[in-house]
Amino acid sequence: MTEETPGFEEKPDVPSGATPEDAESKAAPEKGAAPAGDVSADAGLVAQLDQVRTALNERTLDLQRLQAEYQNYRRRVERDRIAVKEIAIANLLTELLPVLDDIGRAREHGELVGGFKSVAESLETVAAKMGLQQFGKEGEPFDPTIHEALMHSYAPDVTETTCVAILQPGYRIGERTIRPARVAVAEPQPGTQSVKAEDAEESTPAPGSAEDKENGGPDEG
């Protein structure tokens, strides 16, 4: 068993003729930073990672843009499909309006009986399921956007232009009018309003008159 000599430290082998500074410079790389080759490799990896991230962001934006365009395309196709369907239904029901008019006239004259009545009611039911709505009633105010006046007259018992007879009912699908109601209209009798105004003035007692006093008018002081 050998004893270690106190204060003795191992030193790196130094060739003969070398100075102590050469020994220290030989041992320095073991304690210093990583070699320059490793640093350049790390920088290259970072640059590649940035490039991959940039490309990923660009592809993500392209995908989002493509998805938005596809959604707009689907909505446009669906809107066009609904519009084409509504136009086709409106055209079909427009061709059926004369038949529905004949059914209405037959009902008014009491001729809607037997098998003809069953067929007529079935046709009206199918038309209603397809969205056809009938409108137009006697006594309602005349509206030029939904009524077509075929006859005109004056009447003392109306205060505005009024539909007094429905010659042909109007039909609509939803908010779209496919045929206005054809009506006969009556307007207030000319001069009726002025006569009413004069009557109202005559019925009002003059200020200070006996009749005005009786009605609670102001007395003269």
Side-chain angles (χ1 to χ4, degrees):
M1 183 175 182
T2 59
E3 297 181 357
E4 296 182 357
T5 304
F8 178 77
E9 295 180 358
E10 293 184 357
K11 296 182 179 180
D13 295 337
V14 180
S16 58
T19 62
E21 288 77 6
D22 295 337
E24 292 178 358
S25 61
K26 184 177 180 181
E30 298 178 357
K31 300 179 181 179
D38 294 342
V39 174
S40 60
D42 293 341
L45 291 175
V46 172
Q48 291 180 0
L49 181 60
D50 291 339
Q51 293 178 356
V52 171
R53 287 176 177 172
T54 302
L56 178 61
N57 291 334
E58 293 177 353
R59 299 292 84 78
T60 301
L61 293 176
D62 291 341
L63 180 61
Q64 292 175 348
R65 190 180 304 108
L66 182 62
Q67 186 176 8
E69 292 177 355
Y70 176 69
Q71 293 297 333
N72 292 335
Y73 168 76
R74 287 188 58 186
R75 284 193 290 267
R76 186 168 59 254
V77 170
E78 182 65 16
R79 184 172 60 250
D80 293 344
R81 185 186 67 82
I82 294 175
V84 170
K85 180 180 178 181
E86 290 178 350
I87 292 174
I89 292 175
N91 291 337
L92 173 62
L93 293 177
T94 301
E95 296 297 327
L96 291 177
L97 294 185
V99 179
L100 296 176
D101 291 337
D102 292 339
I103 293 174
R105 284 190 289 267
R107 181 179 287 111
E108 291 176 358
H109 292 85
E111 299 175 356
L112 199 64
V113 295
F116 177 60
K117 178 181 179 181
S118 177
V119 173
E121 291 178 348
S122 298
L123 180 60
E124 290 176 335
T125 300
V126 171
K129 287 183 178 179
M130 298 178 70
L132 186 67
Q133 300 175 357
Q134 186 183 99
F135 66 90
K137 295 181 180 180
E138 294 182 5
E140 63 185 6
F142 175 74
D143 184 353
T145 62
I146 60 174
H147 297 138
E148 180 181 355
L150 300 182
M151 298 177 64
H152 177 270
S153 62
Y154 294 96
D157 57 343
V158 296
T159 58
E160 60 180 342
T161 305
T162 306
C163 301
V164 294
I166 305 299
L167 307 179
Q168 277 187 333
Y171 290 95
R172 66 166 63 97
I173 300 176
E175 299 298 326
R176 178 182 179 183
T177 300
I178 62 176
R179 190 183 77 181
R182 293 166 180 169
V183 301
V185 299
E187 291 183 345
Q189 191 74 28
T192 302
Q193 298 295 333
S194 59
V195 170
K196 290 182 178 180
E198 292 175 359
D199 293 341
E201 291 178 359
E202 292 177 356
S203 62
T204 303
S209 63
E211 186 179 355
D212 182 41
K213 293 179 181 180
E214 291 177 359
N215 294 333
D219 296 333
E220 293 183 358

